[in-house]
Structures are given as structure tokens and as C-alpha cells.
Amino acid sequence: LPSISHAPIAADRPPALPICEHHLANGLRLVAAEDHSRPVVNLQIWYHVGSKDEKPGNTGFAHLFEHLMFRGSRNVGPEQHMRYVRQAGGVVNAYTSFDTTVYWETFPSNCLERMLWLEADRMASLDVSQENFVKEREVVKEERRLRYENPPYGMLLEDILSRAYSQYPYRHPPIGSVEDLDRATIENVRAFHSTYYLPRNACLVAVGDFEMDSLVTFAEKHFGPIPSGGRIPRVHDTEAEPENPRQEPVVYPNAPLDAIVDAYLLPPLGHPDSYALEMAATLLSTGQSSRLYRKLVYEEQIASSAQGDALLLEGPSLFFCFALAQPGASVDQLASSLDEALAAIRDSHASEEEMTRAHNQVAASFVLGRDSAQAKADFLGRCAVLLGDPLRYNTEFERFAAVTCEDIRRVAARYLVPQRRLRLEVHAGAAPVVQEAE
Amino acid sequence: MTPPALTEPRPLGFPAHQTAVLPSGLTVFAVEDHRLPLISLQLEVLAGHALVPPAQAGLAGLAASLLREGTSARSSQDIARLVDSSGGNLSASAASDTTSLSASFLRSSADLAFDLLADTTIRAVFPEQEIERQRAQALSSLAVHYKDAEYLATVAAARAILGTHPYAWPSDGTPLTLPALCREDLAAFHTAHFAPTRAWLAVAGDLAAEEAFQLAERHFSSWPAAPSSPIEIPPAPQPRAQVLVIDMPGAVQTQIAIGQPAVARCHPDCLPLQVANQALGGSFNSRMNLKLRASEGLTYSAGSHLDLERAAGLFEATTFTRSGKTAAAVRFMLDLIEEWAGNPATQEELDEAKSYLTGSFSLAIEQAAAVARRLLAIPVYNLPADYWATWRERVRGLTVGDLRAAVSRHIRPRALAIVAVGDASQFASRLESFGEVRVVPASQFDPASESLLSPGDNE
């Protein structure tokens, strides 16, 4: 058996993708890569609108609207969208994030034109009845109960965002509030469509088994006639640099274990420092030899899980550190151990062995992140829409590979400091179920 | 305007693979795929939680979690550092019939991947201090699960539907069973059930088949053949109508599961049942989701599925809705199941299910690791060797009559178990029209006890 030694940096690299771009006269961008290895295509349409574009009093609207995009357009009746995809052997879904709303289909390559037609029809027109609008709003409320209101720690994201941001519209999660959902009207729906669901605010991403020429021809045919529309309103808010550590307790009546969540304000996705910050998260959290797992979970045994992760968004972003207590461990113990781990990453360099580990973990995640047409299109869309250049698909890995131990120390000392931190102390309101055997 | 027509599909056969049986008796499948510098190893061992008595519920899962926590050659942290240094992933978990180990590594670490997978499979030693760590983590995660209606509904439904069948007991164990498990139990389970003649390894990715077989031989040759006590799991029990409520005061939403026992995965009616299920609750456009979500706005999702294992299975329809609508949602689901039992699919529904299942098969086998998973299902579930190669053809050959016959043989709409997990004060009395309602407070719910109540909480 080989003994523990310093593994070398792996020679394996994520393979490059041949990326093509095409711009329609109405402003629609087309970003695509042919991959004929399987007769499969993933198609995504990225609308550059998310929950941060919602005004106070209208939270949850971008997500509610995403649901309504499956409820009918000029040539496609309610529920027919799903049926057309299914009849073609495809799968379909959509998601709404802080910055974008993304609709996607994965399908056998013989139905590319049908899928483009479906997406074009609902970009060109939306046809939702008042009755279906009201029902869909109830569906969204059930989604909110399922993911947020009923689970023991379901309100965590909402509670941390509303405190970590003082004014930037990342203050609320995409699901929104029930009161705001109830305020939405069908007129809001029509206005939202005509403001944001425009060719100039959209990017069509496709990866898989097609010829670029046919893709362009079909896209011109079905999307080309859609008017480009007016100017897209953008968010101009900023978030003030925090000056003091903040700490707030919350009690979750249905939670059995205490927890700590720290949020540090970060620069946006694609900022030169963001790569070293993601590598810091890797050092802290990836694998069972990572710093937080080893310290809080394995050695001190005060946490049942502990993670640090960067949520990098188009605007001011957050670095989260999270620890869920073991029964008997206090919030103060979690806090001081997290503080020690963060101090260590600010004050000293990671060892050569740790750096090799982090670089290999990033390489493996890049390779794994290219294991399907959909995985490739996900990252291609992120590069095109949020990083502003689809060609960064093939160069982003090198930015991580270039990160040094000094880069990580420097960004940790710059951003992961107490004065930028909001600490949420979660106190369990429920007695733990864990019982000792006799 | 009608949608553009589909063009002729580009055919994709089930990908080729090679098979070797090592001298130790371990069967190895190799699926070559050189698109990425990545290899995936998956090992299935017939060491599932169905082999564990209810008093030891959680044993198979705890044993799986401890495989990488120390071997006769390496400590837990040695293994963690080796896995992480090469950017790999190594994990294990237990399901009803099998313990599944999985290793995903970059191509350049292929030898290490086989080494670690074999070492943890063959030479795990279950160190006392690691048992305590894993046990404490498992108990904490159960503490969270026991406050989660979705989790409790799954666990309670398995018991309501399958009674005391070996597949019925909670795979994660309970707050009472986990503390009682000791090192001897874990080691004995490992010795009794981990053997090369009861295991199958699939290697997928950037490795020539010959090399895969050589690496498997090098690292797994020392796996001793164990005494093979036969695995005897009985067929599914008879269905039994009942209404079970797990009471979580203050819950704002009720999780609902309605079901009955079903056949083993290798049963000839499995395919027509699965295709028929597409119409009832197998897709967004199924009868169940269209009714409860699209038409009634009662839920975010409603559907049905078949969990078919090696010896038996279950059929289950699930949804969730605000507390006050619980009885209404149950009524709609029961009506839909009853209607379906008499009319499992119209010709149009069958055609749509066939188009979807046969068309999306090429999506389902896009990745080498997914092909490998399907290959492993063949021996694990006793399926014929050409099961996947002929699967699409067999789906295309089904008729409405085939579906009707299979559903009428197996579905008993008058003998369904109904489980609702939520705030009982908001809905339990309104469930009485479906049968006698048994309410078990979540705080006293013990899925590993025959009565469903923790000791001292007998009704």
C-alpha cells in the first residue's frame, strides 16, 4: 500500500469546448458548442432578470412569473409546453435565482427546432388566464411551505439575507413573501413580460448534437421576428462596506440543534479576488480532510457538520460559514472554533500539501462539471450572462490554477474579517429527540 | 400554428461493455468512455438493510459510513487525506438490498481509486472511536429528520405499506436503535455479508477494459470468499387498508403518502406497471399532478412511483398540501388511483409514455457512470442479461391491454394505506371517512417498533 505522500498536481485538465457566438438583429445572443458524442442536446434560455430586480412589495415575483411561463402562450396551451417536450423524449424545467431566470430542456437531437419554437413562442407572447394565475400563486405558496416554512431550519436563508444586506435587493430570497405574492396581479404579470422577457435581455445557450448553421437558421426563423423592445431597467443599488461585527440571535421553535451561520460581505462573481476566495472555501470545506470538518466535526466533535462556501453573485456577494452543533455543544463553542479556523486562514499560509489538494479538488470539480450536455451548458450560460464572455468557459480553470497560498491569505485577511461579518446564532426551540440507550 | 415536426432520431444503442469474473469470484463490468479524464467505480454488495433485524435498524447504514473510517492498513484521516489530495470522492451507503460503494477520481489517480475502494471494502476494521463519531453524527442527523414531515412521511409510509416485512424498517435506524449498536455487530455484519461472490464492480470512464480488469484483480484479489448463507427475503405482504396520522403540532403543511405493496423488480409485470404509472403520476403531465397542482392549486407536486427491490416492492402516491386541504387532497388521490385501476392509460397516454420513455433513454445513458449503474442493476435485481439492450423495444411493444392486465393483477384500490404527517388537529377528524384513523404523536413515533410507538408510550 502506498504511504501518505504529497500527491503531485494532477495532469488531468478539463477539456476545452469549441464555442460559437451569433447575435440576432433584435439583440438576442446565441452561444453554442457542438458536441456530437451523444445524440443529445441541452438548450437553455437565460433571461437576465432575477429576484434582485424586484421592487420592495413585489418580492417573489420573478419566480412566480417563471411558473406562469408554463401556463400558456399564443400557440401553446396551458401544460402543452411540458407535453411537447415529453412527446419528444425530452426533460424540461426552470429556475429563478437572484440574478437570472433560466429555462432549460434536454432532449434527443432530432427535436431541436421544436424546442426553439416552444421557447420563442413564450418569449413572443404570454397567454395566462386570471384563473390559472390565481391557482399558480397557490402552487408557489405550497412550494414556500415545503422548502421554507415547514422544515426545521427552513427560514435560515431568509433570516440571514435580511440581516447581511442593509439595502441591496439580495435582502430577500427568490421565493418572496406570502403578503407580496398575494399583492401580485395579472397586470403585473403582463408588465413584467414586456419589460424583461425581451430578446435583448436573453441569451440562448445550446450544447450538444447539432450543426451550428442549423441552430442559427432555426433561431433566426423563430426568434428573429420578435421585437427587441425597450431599455431594460437595471439595479443601481450598492451595499455599504460593513464597519462592525454584528451578531443576532434567532429561535427556531422546531429545530432540535443549535447552529451558527456567519456571512461575510464579498465582492461580486468574477472579481479578481473571487478565485482565491473560492479556493479558501475549498480549503475550509471540501472533503473530510478539509479544515472545518477536521477541526469542528472530527477532532473537537462539537459540530455534526461544518462548511464554508462563497455565494458569488452579480452584485455584492457573501461568504458563508455554517456549523450545526452536536447535542451538548454550545453556540459559543461553535463560534470560537469557527473564529480560530478563520484566523488561521487569515494569518498563515496553507501548506504545499494543502494547496496541491485544493488544486486537484478544483480540477476534479471542473472535469466532473463537464460530464453532460446540461452541465456544460450550465457553465457556458454562467460565463456568457454573468461573467460577460462565453469564452471564459475555457479559461476560468486557469484562474483557479494560478491562485497561490499568498493569494488565499491575502483575500482572507481582506474579506473574512470580523468587521465584515454578520453572525446569526440559531437557538433550538425543540428538545433534541436523541435519547441515550439504557 | 403547430410545432415543427421532429426529424429522424440518431440511433444510440445501449453502450458496449466488457465483463470479467476474477478468480475470487468478483464480477467486473467495464464501460470505456474517453471523453473526460475521469473514472468512476461503483461496487454493489448484497449487504442491504433488509438483512438486519428491526432491533438493529441502522446497522447496515452505520457500517457503510464506517468503511472509510479506518482499515487494517490506514486510519480514517489517512484515507481522508489520500482521497482529498487527488481530488477524489469516496462514499458508501446502504439501501434495501445492497451496500453501494462509489469512487470517482481523475484518470491519473486510477490506481489509487481501486486501492482505496478495495481497502475500505475488504479491510474495514470499525475502530471504536470512529464508531462513536459516526454514531453521534447519525443521531444528530436523525434529530433533524424527526422534525421534518417529509422524512417522517417516507419512513411511516414504508411501515404502513409493508408492515413488518424486512424492507419496511427504517434504514437510518432510530434514536433508540443506533445507541445500542456495537463494534461486534458491525464487524459481524461485514464478515457475514461482504464477499466477492455477492458483489459486482462496474468501472466506467477513461480506462481501457483490460486495464480496468488488471487493476481490479490487483486490488481485489485478497478479498476472501465468505461463507454464503442464503439470502431469503419474503415476497411482499398482502395489502391492508389503514389510515395513519403522524401528528406534528404547528406544522403548516401535511405530507401525504398513499400506497400498497408491489412486486419484485424482476417480475414480468414490472415493465407494464412502470409504464402505466407514467399516466397516473410519473410526470408533470400525469393525471395526479394535473389534477392536484394545475387544476386545484393544492400542491407544488403530486406524483406516484414504484420502488421495486430484489424480493418485493411498493407502489406509492405522494403529495403535500396546506393543513386545511389535507382531506381534500387525499380524496382526489384516492379517486384518481381508483379510476386508474380500471383504466391505467388511454391510447394517447400510452403513446406519450412510450415516446417519452424510449426517447429519453438516450439522455439517461449519456454518462458512462449512468450506463454502469444500469449494468449493476441486472445482477442485483436478477434481471435478464439483455434487459437494457431490449428495454426500448419491450416498451414499444406494450399495449393498453397489457397495462390493464398488469394493473388489475396488482393494484388494490380498496386496500390502500393512507399516511398523513402534519398538524393532526387541523385535519385528522376529516380523514375518518377513509377508515379508522390512528394518530401517533411524532414525539412518540418509533418506526423500529412493531406498534410504531416508543417503549413506554403504548396506547
Side-chain angles (χ1 to χ4, degrees):
Chain A
L1 299 171
S3 59
I4 303 291
S5 59
H6 288 208
I9 297 241
D12 307 300
R13 284 288 177 273
L17 200 61
I19 295 160
C20 299
E21 268 194 275
H22 178 81
H23 293 257
L24 271 62
N26 59 13
L28 179 69
R29 295 166 75 194
L30 184 54
V31 173
E34 293 182 25
D35 174 354
H36 301 285
S37 68
R38 294 290 182 275
V40 169
V41 179
N42 177 266
L43 177 74
Q44 311 195 347
I45 183 146
W46 287 60
Y47 289 98
H48 200 165
V49 57
S51 60
K52 78 163 178 297
D53 298 290
E54 295 159 352
K55 300 288 168 278
N58 287 323
T59 67
F61 199 80
H63 171 250
L64 172 63
F65 186 83
E66 172 225 304
H67 278 238
L68 295 167
M69 283 284 277
F70 290 91
R71 288 265 146 131
S73 50
R74 186 172 303 131
N75 297 293
V76 182
E79 283 75 52
Q80 252 189 326
H81 188 101
M82 300 286 195
R83 181 148 285 147
Y84 281 134
V85 178
R86 200 171 141 75
Q87 285 168 344
V91 292
V92 48
N93 214 329
Y95 61 87
T96 305
S97 72
F98 295 94
D99 300 316
T100 59
T101 309
V102 180
Y103 300 80
W104 61 265
E105 289 91 12
T106 306
F107 46 88
S109 47
N110 62 316
C111 47
L112 176 66
E113 188 182 359
R114 177 182 291 189
M115 298 300 133
L116 289 162
W117 173 82
L118 276 173
E119 288 297 354
D121 201 59
R122 62 182 176 180
M123 183 191 286
S125 65
L126 194 67
D127 184 10
V128 177
S129 67
Q130 172 67 22
E131 194 193 356
N132 278 341
F133 168 73
V134 171
K135 281 179 196 159
E136 203 59 42
R137 187 162 60 188
E138 294 307 311
V139 169
V140 169
K141 287 189 212 164
E142 290 300 342
E143 184 180 0
R144 188 184 152 88
R145 289 185 191 100
L146 177 77
R147 299 200 204 286
Y148 293 80
E149 296 170 26
N150 219 28
Y153 299 93
M155 298 311 289
L156 208 47
L157 181 68
E158 196 164 296
D159 283 339
I160 193 112
L161 292 174
S162 65
R163 291 166 172 84
Y165 291 102
S166 63
Q167 55 189 32
Y168 199 82
Y170 292 149
R171 293 194 77 216
H172 66 276
I175 195 76
S177 76
V178 172
E179 300 70 46
D180 288 358
L181 288 170
D182 279 334
R183 223 183 324 244
T185 65
I186 194 107
E187 287 70 39
N188 297 146
V189 174
R190 295 194 184 107
F192 196 80
H193 188 264
S194 62
T195 307
Y196 292 109
Y197 278 63
L198 302 171
R200 67 199 307 170
N201 199 36
C203 180
L204 197 64
V205 180
V207 174
D209 181 31
F210 53 80
E211 305 296 332
M212 188 64 193
D213 290 350
S214 331
L215 179 69
V216 169
T217 306
F218 294 147
E220 290 283 2
K221 175 176 164 191
H222 297 293
F223 289 91
I226 303 172
S228 70
R231 207 171 56 83
I232 312 293
R234 293 294 177 206
V235 170
H236 297 291
D237 301 73
T238 54
E239 182 66 25
E241 292 279 299
E243 287 168 359
N244 293 301
R246 288 160 298 154
Q247 185 156 329
E248 290 198 35
V250 288
V251 177
Y252 288 170
N254 201 30
L257 300 168
D258 292 346
I260 286 265
V261 188
D262 290 340
Y264 298 84
L265 193 71
L266 294 190
L269 177 76
H271 185 281
D273 288 342
S274 66
Y275 301 90
L277 284 160
E278 289 204 67
M279 292 288 279
T282 301
L283 288 181
L284 289 171
S285 308
T286 307
Q288 289 192 16
S289 69
S290 62
R291 292 184 179 195
L292 293 182
Y293 183 91
R294 206 173 60 224
K295 183 176 169 61
L296 279 79
V297 178
Y298 191 83
E299 287 168 3
E300 298 169 357
Q301 299 182 55
I302 57 173
S304 59
S305 63
Q307 289 277 317
D309 208 0
L311 175 68
L312 290 166
L313 303 169
E314 200 172 25
S317 300
L318 294 178
F319 195 99
F320 288 114
C321 284
F322 169 84
L324 183 64
Q326 285 287 32
S330 69
V331 161
D332 289 345
Q333 280 175 291
L334 294 181
S336 75
S337 284
L338 279 178
D339 289 346
E340 284 168 23
L342 274 281
I345 209 165
R346 289 192 301 264
D347 296 345
S348 49
H349 286 153
S351 69
E352 193 182 327
E353 184 192 346
E354 248 189 322
M355 288 303 296
T356 303
R357 186 187 306 162
H359 280 298
N360 285 344
Q361 287 173 325
V362 169
S365 77
F366 262 82
V367 171
L368 259 179
R370 295 177 182 196
D371 78 338
S372 66
Q374 177 155 12
K376 291 177 218 181
D378 285 345
F379 190 56
L380 186 55
R382 188 173 159 90
C383 291
V385 176
L386 295 175
L387 292 172
D389 180 3
L391 297 178
R392 285 178 75 160
Y393 182 99
N394 290 326
T395 57
E396 281 294 280
F397 175 70
E398 295 309 324
R399 293 177 198 244
F400 287 100
V403 170
T404 66
C405 61
E406 170 54 17
D407 294 330
I408 295 175
R409 193 209 56 77
R410 179 182 56 76
V411 299
R414 164 87 178 79
Y415 301 103
L416 306 182
V417 291
Q419 58 268 32
R420 298 177 74 88
R421 185 185 70 211
L422 176 276
R423 167 163 287 167
L424 199 66
E425 287 185 1
V426 179
H427 295 281
V433 183
V434 179
Q435 301 163 23
E436 291 301 321
E438 293 300 314
Chain B
M1 187 179 166
T2 53
L6 309 186
T7 56
E8 198 56 35
R10 208 184 108 199
L12 173 67
F14 190 72
H17 66 278
Q18 295 187 48
T19 308
V21 181
L22 306 184
S24 64
L26 178 67
T27 302
V28 185
F29 304 113
V31 183
E32 284 189 42
D33 185 333
H34 302 285
R35 290 176 295 171
L36 288 176
L38 195 69
I39 62 157
S40 150
L41 309 183
Q42 297 169 67
L43 180 74
E44 295 280 2
V45 187
L46 287 181
H49 68 76
L51 301 174
V52 171
Q56 292 191 319
L59 178 61
L62 188 63
S65 76
L66 278 154
L67 295 175
R68 60 168 289 173
E69 300 300 328
T71 69
S72 53
R74 297 178 174 116
S75 73
S76 162
Q77 278 295 302
D78 287 345
I79 293 168
R81 277 198 297 273
L82 279 169
V83 170
D84 294 348
S85 298
S86 48
N89 271 300
L90 178 69
S91 64
S93 61
S96 293
D97 291 310
T98 63
T99 292
S100 308
L101 291 98
S102 152
S104 163
F105 279 73
L106 290 170
R107 168 71 178 89
S108 55
S109 300
D111 187 70
L112 180 68
F114 279 86
D115 180 354
L116 287 168
L117 186 73
D119 192 31
T120 53
T121 301
I122 301 169
R123 286 179 289 276
V125 293
F126 307 100
E128 291 285 1
Q129 73 276 18
E130 304 300 342
I131 296 173
E132 294 315 317
R133 285 193 175 94
Q134 292 301 315
R135 188 201 319 269
Q137 286 190 46
L139 284 168
S140 289
S141 115
L142 271 188
V144 177
H145 285 328
Y146 274 54
K147 296 290 175 189
D148 179 359
E150 203 172 354
Y151 179 86
L152 290 181
T154 305
V155 167
R159 286 297 317 279
I161 293 169
L162 293 171
T164 56
H165 186 276
Y167 290 151
W169 306 106
S171 58
D172 296 324
T174 73
L176 291 171
T177 62
L178 286 180
L181 299 173
C182 66
R183 204 194 94 83
E184 286 66 38
D185 299 328
L186 292 156
F189 180 80
H190 185 248
T191 306
H193 301 298
F194 277 60
T197 46
R198 289 179 175 194
W200 298 271
L201 173 66
V203 183
D206 192 12
L207 208 55
E210 263 323 297
E211 198 181 351
F213 297 144
Q214 281 165 15
L215 284 166
E217 172 59 22
R218 182 184 312 156
H219 293 287
F220 281 92
S221 62
S222 63
W223 197 356
S228 273
S229 53
I231 294 174
E232 282 168 2
I233 297 176
Q238 288 301 308
R240 193 169 69 85
Q242 62 193 293
V243 184
L244 173 65
V245 172
I246 308 294
D247 184 20
M248 299 182 84
V252 297
Q253 190 175 58
T254 307
Q255 289 279 339
I256 300 167
I258 298 179
Q260 63 153 78
V263 294
R265 179 88 182 266
C266 60
H267 193 286
D269 284 339
C270 163
L271 194 67
L273 283 172
Q274 285 170 326
V275 174
N277 182 62
Q278 286 286 316
L280 175 66
S283 82
F284 192 90
N285 275 15
S286 65
R287 297 176 190 179
M288 207 157 258
N289 202 55
L290 281 186
K291 179 68 182 172
L292 278 97
R293 174 175 161 148
S295 306
E296 302 295 330
L298 285 176
T299 186
Y300 176 60
S301 175
S304 59
H305 61 271
L306 292 143
D307 281 347
L308 306 182
E309 310 288 355
R310 194 174 157 91
L314 61 76
F315 159 75
E316 189 178 55
T318 61
T319 193
F320 45 85
T321 190
R322 45 204 177 272
S323 305
K325 293 289 185 182
T326 304
V330 169
R331 177 83 269 160
F332 283 128
M333 291 169 83
L334 289 172
D335 289 349
L336 286 166
I337 295 171
E338 177 150 18
E339 185 200 339
W340 175 71
N343 174 25
T346 62
Q347 187 62 48
E348 192 188 352
E349 285 172 324
L350 176 60
D351 290 344
E352 185 178 317
K354 284 186 189 181
S355 310
Y356 170 69
L357 291 170
T358 57
S360 64
F361 192 73
S362 51
L363 280 50
I365 57 172
E366 188 188 356
Q367 295 138 309
V371 173
R373 263 195 299 284
R374 279 168 197 266
L375 285 175
L376 288 167
I378 290 174
V380 166
Y381 297 109
N382 288 317
L383 304 173
D386 64 352
Y387 187 83
W388 297 114
T390 61
W391 189 83
R392 283 173 287 191
E393 200 180 305
R394 285 182 290 119
V395 170
R396 276 189 209 103
L398 289 169
T399 65
V400 169
D402 296 333
L403 272 48
R404 202 179 287 269
V407 166
S408 72
R409 273 195 287 273
H410 300 287
I411 301 299
R412 297 281 168 271
R414 303 284 167 178
L416 292 165
I418 300 168
V419 174
V421 181
D423 188 342
S425 69
Q426 305 290 308
F427 63 80
S429 62
R430 276 181 275 167
L431 298 183
E432 275 159 15
S433 57
F434 308 119
E436 192 189 335
V437 178
R438 181 178 179 201
V439 179
V440 172
S443 58
Q444 294 167 23
F445 176 57
D446 179 0
S449 104
E450 197 164 337
S451 68
L452 297 179
L453 289 168
S454 15
D457 288 322
N458 291 316
E459 282 172 310

